[in-house]
PDB file of all heavy atoms in Angstrom:
ATOM      1  N   ARG P 114      34.447 -13.878 -19.218  1.00 96.00           N
ATOM      2  CA  ARG P 114      34.596 -15.207 -19.791  1.00 96.00           C
ATOM      3  C   ARG P 114      33.811 -16.203 -18.935  1.00 96.00           C
ATOM      4  O   ARG P 114      33.633 -15.997 -17.734  1.00 96.00           O
ATOM      5  CB  ARG P 114      36.065 -15.642 -19.833  1.00 96.00           C
ATOM      6  CG  ARG P 114      36.968 -14.755 -20.662  1.00 96.00           C
ATOM      7  CD  ARG P 114      37.234 -15.331 -22.042  1.00 96.00           C
ATOM      8  NE  ARG P 114      36.035 -15.516 -22.829  1.00 96.00           N
ATOM      9  CZ  ARG P 114      35.422 -14.533 -23.500  1.00 96.00           C
ATOM     10  NH1 ARG P 114      35.886 -13.298 -23.469  1.00 96.00           N
ATOM     11  NH2 ARG P 114      34.351 -14.791 -24.207  1.00 96.00           N
ATOM     12  N   VAL P 116      33.946 -19.196 -16.844  1.00 98.00           N
ATOM     13  CA  VAL P 116      35.082 -19.758 -16.106  1.00 98.00           C
ATOM     14  C   VAL P 116      34.804 -21.218 -15.727  1.00 98.00           C
ATOM     15  O   VAL P 116      33.737 -21.537 -15.210  1.00 98.00           O
ATOM     16  CB  VAL P 116      35.356 -18.924 -14.839  1.00 98.00           C
ATOM     17  CG1 VAL P 116      36.445 -19.567 -13.986  1.00 98.00           C
ATOM     18  CG2 VAL P 116      35.766 -17.501 -15.232  1.00 98.00           C
ATOM     19  N   ARG P 117      35.779 -22.083 -16.009  1.00 97.00           N
ATOM     20  CA  ARG P 117      35.683 -23.500 -15.650  1.00 97.00           C
ATOM     21  C   ARG P 117      36.874 -23.964 -14.824  1.00 97.00           C
ATOM     22  O   ARG P 117      37.028 -25.154 -14.577  1.00 97.00           O
ATOM     23  CB  ARG P 117      35.557 -24.357 -16.910  1.00 97.00           C
ATOM     24  CG  ARG P 117      34.258 -24.128 -17.673  1.00 97.00           C
ATOM     25  CD  ARG P 117      34.224 -24.920 -18.972  1.00 97.00           C
ATOM     26  NE  ARG P 117      32.958 -24.780 -19.667  1.00 97.00           N
ATOM     27  CZ  ARG P 117      32.639 -23.762 -20.478  1.00 97.00           C
ATOM     28  NH1 ARG P 117      33.544 -22.780 -20.674  1.00 97.00           N
ATOM     29  NH2 ARG P 117      31.476 -23.708 -21.076  1.00 97.00           N
ATOM     30  N   ARG P 118      37.681 -23.024 -14.411  1.00 97.00           N
ATOM     31  CA  ARG P 118      38.838 -23.332 -13.561  1.00 97.00           C
ATOM     32  C   ARG P 118      38.798 -22.373 -12.366  1.00 97.00           C
ATOM     33  O   ARG P 118      38.944 -21.162 -12.523  1.00 97.00           O
ATOM     34  CB  ARG P 118      40.142 -23.164 -14.343  1.00 97.00           C
ATOM     35  CG  ARG P 118      40.299 -24.175 -15.479  1.00 97.00           C
ATOM     36  CD  ARG P 118      41.284 -23.710 -16.527  1.00 97.00           C
ATOM     37  NE  ARG P 118      42.619 -23.522 -15.985  1.00 97.00           N
ATOM     38  CZ  ARG P 118      43.620 -22.933 -16.651  1.00 97.00           C
ATOM     39  NH1 ARG P 118      43.412 -22.486 -17.889  1.00 97.00           N
ATOM     40  NH2 ARG P 118      44.786 -22.785 -16.092  1.00 97.00           N
ATOM     41  N   PHE P 119      38.580 -22.955 -11.189  1.00 98.00           N
ATOM     42  CA  PHE P 119      38.375 -22.147  -9.988  1.00 98.00           C
ATOM     43  C   PHE P 119      39.424 -22.446  -8.927  1.00 98.00           C
ATOM     44  O   PHE P 119      39.920 -23.571  -8.808  1.00 98.00           O
ATOM     45  CB  PHE P 119      36.989 -22.430  -9.389  1.00 98.00           C
ATOM     46  CG  PHE P 119      35.847 -22.044 -10.271  1.00 98.00           C
ATOM     47  CD1 PHE P 119      35.255 -22.967 -11.123  1.00 98.00           C
ATOM     48  CD2 PHE P 119      35.344 -20.745 -10.264  1.00 98.00           C
ATOM     49  CE1 PHE P 119      34.188 -22.625 -11.939  1.00 98.00           C
ATOM     50  CE2 PHE P 119      34.283 -20.388 -11.080  1.00 98.00           C
ATOM     51  CZ  PHE P 119      33.704 -21.334 -11.921  1.00 98.00           C
ATOM     52  N   GLN P 120      39.733 -21.427  -8.130  1.00 98.00           N
ATOM     53  CA  GLN P 120      40.602 -21.612  -6.975  1.00 98.00           C
ATOM     54  C   GLN P 120      39.840 -22.348  -5.870  1.00 98.00           C
ATOM     55  O   GLN P 120      38.617 -22.245  -5.759  1.00 98.00           O
ATOM     56  CB  GLN P 120      41.069 -20.259  -6.439  1.00 98.00           C
ATOM     57  CG  GLN P 120      41.897 -19.440  -7.399  1.00 98.00           C
ATOM     58  CD  GLN P 120      42.307 -18.114  -6.799  1.00 98.00           C
ATOM     59  OE1 GLN P 120      42.660 -18.031  -5.613  1.00 98.00           O
ATOM     60  NE2 GLN P 120      42.273 -17.064  -7.605  1.00 98.00           N
ATOM     61  N   ALA P 231      29.400 -10.200 -10.013  1.00 98.00           N
ATOM     62  CA  ALA P 231      30.473 -11.146  -9.700  1.00 98.00           C
ATOM     63  C   ALA P 231      31.781 -10.706 -10.343  1.00 98.00           C
ATOM     64  O   ALA P 231      32.836 -10.682  -9.696  1.00 98.00           O
ATOM     65  CB  ALA P 231      30.087 -12.547 -10.179  1.00 98.00           C
ATOM     66  N   GLN P 234      33.544  -7.988  -8.668  1.00 97.00           N
ATOM     67  CA  GLN P 234      34.177  -8.353  -7.390  1.00 97.00           C
ATOM     68  C   GLN P 234      35.330  -9.342  -7.568  1.00 97.00           C
ATOM     69  O   GLN P 234      35.812  -9.923  -6.603  1.00 97.00           O
ATOM     70  CB  GLN P 234      33.133  -8.960  -6.447  1.00 97.00           C
ATOM     71  CG  GLN P 234      32.030  -7.988  -6.062  1.00 97.00           C
ATOM     72  CD  GLN P 234      31.099  -8.570  -5.017  1.00 97.00           C
ATOM     73  OE1 GLN P 234      31.146  -8.200  -3.842  1.00 97.00           O
ATOM     74  NE2 GLN P 234      30.247  -9.498  -5.414  1.00 97.00           N
ATOM     75  N   GLY P 235      35.769  -9.519  -8.819  1.00 97.00           N
ATOM     76  CA  GLY P 235      36.893 -10.400  -9.066  1.00 97.00           C
ATOM     77  C   GLY P 235      36.532 -11.871  -9.097  1.00 97.00           C
ATOM     78  O   GLY P 235      37.410 -12.737  -9.005  1.00 97.00           O
ATOM     79  N   LEU P 236      35.246 -12.178  -9.242  1.00 98.00           N
ATOM     80  CA  LEU P 236      34.789 -13.561  -9.279  1.00 98.00           C
ATOM     81  C   LEU P 236      34.541 -14.002 -10.718  1.00 98.00           C
ATOM     82  O   LEU P 236      34.340 -13.179 -11.605  1.00 98.00           O
ATOM     83  CB  LEU P 236      33.500 -13.718  -8.471  1.00 98.00           C
ATOM     84  CG  LEU P 236      33.589 -13.364  -6.985  1.00 98.00           C
ATOM     85  CD1 LEU P 236      32.194 -13.297  -6.366  1.00 98.00           C
ATOM     86  CD2 LEU P 236      34.455 -14.378  -6.244  1.00 98.00           C
ATOM     87  N   GLY P 237      34.537 -15.296 -10.929  1.00 98.00           N
ATOM     88  CA  GLY P 237      34.213 -15.858 -12.222  1.00 98.00           C
ATOM     89  C   GLY P 237      32.913 -16.629 -12.149  1.00 98.00           C
ATOM     90  O   GLY P 237      32.536 -17.132 -11.094  1.00 98.00           O
ATOM     91  N   VAL P 238      32.237 -16.743 -13.282  1.00 98.00           N
ATOM     92  CA  VAL P 238      30.926 -17.383 -13.326  1.00 98.00           C
ATOM     93  C   VAL P 238      30.840 -18.294 -14.542  1.00 98.00           C
ATOM     94  O   VAL P 238      31.376 -17.984 -15.610  1.00 98.00           O
ATOM     95  CB  VAL P 238      29.799 -16.324 -13.403  1.00 98.00           C
ATOM     96  CG1 VAL P 238      28.440 -16.988 -13.651  1.00 98.00           C
ATOM     97  CG2 VAL P 238      29.751 -15.500 -12.131  1.00 98.00           C
ATOM     98  N   VAL P 271      30.087 -20.266  -9.261  1.00 98.00           N
ATOM     99  CA  VAL P 271      30.740 -19.002  -8.913  1.00 98.00           C
ATOM    100  C   VAL P 271      31.968 -19.286  -8.064  1.00 98.00           C
ATOM    101  O   VAL P 271      31.939 -20.155  -7.175  1.00 98.00           O
ATOM    102  CB  VAL P 271      29.787 -18.071  -8.135  1.00 98.00           C
ATOM    103  CG1 VAL P 271      30.419 -16.691  -7.960  1.00 98.00           C
ATOM    104  CG2 VAL P 271      28.439 -17.954  -8.826  1.00 98.00           C
ATOM    105  N   GLY P 272      33.044 -18.564  -8.319  1.00 98.00           N
ATOM    106  CA  GLY P 272      34.251 -18.706  -7.511  1.00 98.00           C
ATOM    107  C   GLY P 272      35.348 -17.799  -8.021  1.00 98.00           C
ATOM    108  O   GLY P 272      35.181 -17.084  -9.024  1.00 98.00           O
ATOM    109  N   TYR P 273      36.469 -17.840  -7.317  1.00 98.00           N
ATOM    110  CA  TYR P 273      37.627 -17.066  -7.763  1.00 98.00           C
ATOM    111  C   TYR P 273      38.309 -17.821  -8.909  1.00 98.00           C
ATOM    112  O   TYR P 273      38.642 -19.004  -8.774  1.00 98.00           O
ATOM    113  CB  TYR P 273      38.614 -16.865  -6.616  1.00 98.00           C
ATOM    114  CG  TYR P 273      38.138 -15.853  -5.599  1.00 98.00           C
ATOM    115  CD1 TYR P 273      37.509 -16.276  -4.419  1.00 98.00           C
ATOM    116  CD2 TYR P 273      38.299 -14.497  -5.816  1.00 98.00           C
ATOM    117  CE1 TYR P 273      37.062 -15.356  -3.488  1.00 98.00           C
ATOM    118  CE2 TYR P 273      37.849 -13.568  -4.898  1.00 98.00           C
ATOM    119  CZ  TYR P 273      37.229 -13.998  -3.738  1.00 98.00           C
ATOM    120  OH  TYR P 273      36.776 -13.082  -2.827  1.00 98.00           O
ATOM    121  N   PRO P 274      38.521 -17.170 -10.053  1.00 98.00           N
ATOM    122  CA  PRO P 274      39.116 -17.865 -11.203  1.00 98.00           C
ATOM    123  C   PRO P 274      40.542 -18.325 -10.911  1.00 98.00           C
ATOM    124  O   PRO P 274      41.311 -17.639 -10.241  1.00 98.00           O
ATOM    125  CB  PRO P 274      39.105 -16.810 -12.313  1.00 98.00           C
ATOM    126  CG  PRO P 274      38.122 -15.772 -11.869  1.00 98.00           C
ATOM    127  CD  PRO P 274      38.169 -15.777 -10.374  1.00 98.00           C
ATOM    128  N   ALA P 275      40.871 -19.495 -11.433  1.00 98.00           N
ATOM    129  CA  ALA P 275      42.243 -19.989 -11.381  1.00 98.00           C
ATOM    130  C   ALA P 275      42.903 -19.819 -12.746  1.00 98.00           C
ATOM    131  O   ALA P 275      43.843 -20.533 -13.097  1.00 98.00           O
ATOM    132  CB  ALA P 275      42.257 -21.455 -10.963  1.00 98.00           C
ATOM    133  N   VAL P 276      42.395 -18.881 -13.512  1.00 97.00           N
ATOM    134  CA  VAL P 276      42.898 -18.633 -14.856  1.00 97.00           C
ATOM    135  C   VAL P 276      42.780 -17.141 -15.143  1.00 97.00           C
ATOM    136  O   VAL P 276      41.880 -16.475 -14.627  1.00 97.00           O
ATOM    137  CB  VAL P 276      42.082 -19.449 -15.903  1.00 97.00           C
ATOM    138  CG1 VAL P 276      40.612 -19.124 -15.812  1.00 97.00           C
ATOM    139  CG2 VAL P 276      42.594 -19.224 -17.326  1.00 97.00           C
ATOM    140  N   SER P 277      43.706 -16.613 -15.933  1.00 95.00           N
ATOM    141  CA  SER P 277      43.673 -15.205 -16.299  1.00 95.00           C
ATOM    142  C   SER P 277      43.711 -15.096 -17.816  1.00 95.00           C
ATOM    143  O   SER P 277      44.670 -15.535 -18.462  1.00 95.00           O
ATOM    144  CB  SER P 277      44.873 -14.471 -15.688  1.00 95.00           C
ATOM    145  OG  SER P 277      44.904 -13.123 -16.111  1.00 95.00           O
ATOM    146  N   TYR P 278      42.665 -14.515 -18.393  1.00 95.00           N
ATOM    147  CA  TYR P 278      42.589 -14.365 -19.844  1.00 95.00           C
ATOM    148  C   TYR P 278      43.256 -13.052 -20.259  1.00 95.00           C
ATOM    149  O   TYR P 278      43.122 -12.035 -19.593  1.00 95.00           O
ATOM    150  CB  TYR P 278      41.135 -14.417 -20.305  1.00 95.00           C
ATOM    151  CG  TYR P 278      40.506 -15.770 -20.055  1.00 95.00           C
ATOM    152  CD1 TYR P 278      39.716 -15.983 -18.928  1.00 95.00           C
ATOM    153  CD2 TYR P 278      40.740 -16.837 -20.917  1.00 95.00           C
ATOM    154  CE1 TYR P 278      39.161 -17.239 -18.683  1.00 95.00           C
ATOM    155  CE2 TYR P 278      40.188 -18.077 -20.681  1.00 95.00           C
ATOM    156  CZ  TYR P 278      39.400 -18.276 -19.558  1.00 95.00           C
ATOM    157  OH  TYR P 278      38.862 -19.507 -19.313  1.00 95.00           O
TER     158      TYR P 278
END
Side-chain angles (χ1 to χ4, degrees):
R114 299 260 60 81
V116 175
R117 294 176 176 83
R118 294 159 61 190
F119 296 94
Q120 298 179 40
Q234 297 186 105
L236 300 169
V238 172
V271 188
Y273 286 98
V276 57
S277 176
Y278 295 98

